[in-house]
Structure formats: structure tokens, C-alpha cells
Amino acid sequence: MFKWKDEFSVNVEKIDEQHKELFNLGSKLYTIVSAKDNVDRYDEIMEILSELRRYAIYHFGYEEELMKQYGYENYQKQKIEHAKFIEKITSISQEEVDEKQKKVSTELIAFIANWIENHILKSDMEYKEYFNSKGLY
Ligand SMILES: [Fe+2]
Ligand SMILES: [Fe+2]
């Protein structure tokens, strides 16, 4: 799960690096949730959650800047999808993580997996050829 493959590449180096980091955060969360013990993971989960939020904001900003700069036609659609991701991550409360760790983390993993499938591998993939045709790699 959350293992990077070459076929995920959008052929723009910096963006691939950022996507890899998002995979990495998903993978960290997965490792924590998969631990078969009853240790309280509140601090670790909250830390990954805030790192995921921080990094996603950075990555989306980076992508949107390039889209604007190169006049990419699906810029608005991307902005909306990005905002939804941040909204979802932000909506997870400390109380929820505290009271229902397994449930919240499992849902979050499913959400990230779904995001990778539907955003990175579909929406982001759509700009690959456009950016490349503008000389951006
Ligand atoms: Fe992306
Ligand atoms: Fe995107």
C-alpha cells in the first residue's frame, strides 16, 4: 500500500518528488495503524495529520502556481479538488482521533488511497503532456 511506481510519474521532476512525499506520509500512517498492539497512537497520528496538511498545502500551491503560469485549462477544477482535500484533512478533530483512533485512521488511509487514485492518477495525470509540451519536466 502507498508504494510508488514509475507509472505514477507525471514526468515533472519536482511534482513527482512531492507526490512521493505524500505517498510516504500515507505509508507512515498505514504502518502506525497496522501495529497489532493497544498502544495509544494519538500523538503520532496527530503529527502525521498535521504534516500531511502542511505538505499538501505546499504541494497544491506549487502545482497551482505552475498551472497559472503555463495557462493550464483545468486550473479551476484542480483548485476545487485541492480545497476539498484540505477541508477533509482539517475537519478531523483531535477529539475524534482521541476517541476513535483506529476508525479515524482507517478512514483516513482509505481517503488518501482514494485521493491518489482519483486525483494524482487522474486529474494530475491530465497535465502531464501539457506541461511537457511547454518544456516543463
Ligand atoms: Fe498533485
Ligand atoms: Fe493536483
Side-chain angles (χ1 to χ4, degrees):
M1 196 148 187
F2 301 122
K3 201 175 170 325
W4 174 265
K5 296 189 192 114
D6 284 341
E7 67 201 71
F8 298 161
S9 170
V10 294
N11 217 22
V12 178
E13 198 186 348
K14 287 269 180 257
I15 293 180
D16 279 347
E17 275 173 22
Q18 292 167 12
H19 284 163
K20 280 178 194 167
E21 178 57 18
L22 292 171
F23 272 65
N24 181 32
L25 289 169
S27 172
K28 273 191 188 167
L29 187 66
Y30 185 74
T31 306
I32 290 172
V33 176
S34 308
K36 295 269 176 281
D37 54 28
N38 283 316
V39 177
D40 188 337
R41 307 278 174 188
Y42 176 80
D43 290 341
E44 285 166 85
I45 294 169
M46 288 313 289
E47 201 183 304
I48 290 187
L49 203 55
S50 78
E51 178 62 13
L52 185 63
R53 184 170 181 277
R54 191 194 66 78
Y55 199 80
I57 290 172
Y58 162 72
H59 166 63
F60 295 156
Y62 187 91
E63 262 185 2
E64 288 169 17
E65 206 42 58
L66 286 179
M67 288 175 196
K68 258 199 308 200
Q69 195 181 328
Y70 288 86
Y72 181 60
E73 62 171 353
N74 290 331
Y75 169 69
Q76 285 302 332
K77 177 188 147 191
Q78 281 270 350
K79 258 190 92 153
I80 291 166
E81 291 185 19
H82 291 163
K84 276 190 190 152
F85 184 91
I86 299 300
E87 200 182 299
K88 167 71 187 179
I89 298 291
T90 308
S91 76
I92 300 168
S93 69
Q94 295 181 350
E95 291 74 32
E96 264 182 298
V97 176
D98 199 24
E99 288 161 19
K100 302 173 275 186
Q101 272 183 29
K102 279 268 187 250
K103 184 171 173 283
V104 172
S105 313
T106 307
E107 279 173 11
L108 187 60
I109 285 168
F111 175 73
I112 299 168
N114 187 276
W115 170 263
I116 288 171
E117 205 179 306
N118 287 299
H119 187 83
I120 296 184
L121 301 183
K122 290 201 179 96
S123 302
D124 284 354
M125 211 50 92
E126 287 171 5
Y127 61 57
K128 179 177 174 176
E129 286 184 4
Y130 183 78
F131 279 162
N132 285 174
S133 79
K134 299 282 178 188
L136 183 67
Y137 291 94

